[in-house]
Amino acid sequence: MEPLFTNDAIVLGLLMIVLGAIFYTSSLKTPFWQKFYRYVPSLLLCYFVPALLHWPLGLISGEESSLYFMASRYLL
């Protein structure tokens, strides 16, 4: 199945938005988010949500992207 987003810049932007939203909501002091992150760790969501974008939704693909190579060489 062809992923919806194939441009590496778009995939990187989408992943940054998802991670930013996770860390932003984990730092909020509202009762809902405090209770949610008490049971679901934010680090787990950082791995789980991009996996959801790949497998069931088919929005991104790790096989057709060179983003992993760039991230492993330059960001790590």
Side-chain angles (χ1 to χ4, degrees), residues 15 18-19 22 44-56 60:
L15 292 174
V18 166
L19 293 177
I22 291 170
L44 176 69
L45 288 178
C46 290
Y47 286 99
F48 186 67
V49 174
L52 287 177
L53 293 177
H54 169 65
W55 177 63
I60 62 175

Side-chain angles (χ1 to χ4, degrees), residues 20-41:
I22 291 170
F23 287 122
Y24 174 73
T25 56
S26 70
S27 67
L28 291 177
K29 300 299 181 196
T30 58
F32 172 77
W33 290 114
Q34 285 183 342
K35 188 179 288 188
F36 178 78
Y37 284 110
R38 185 178 309 140
Y39 298 109
V40 181

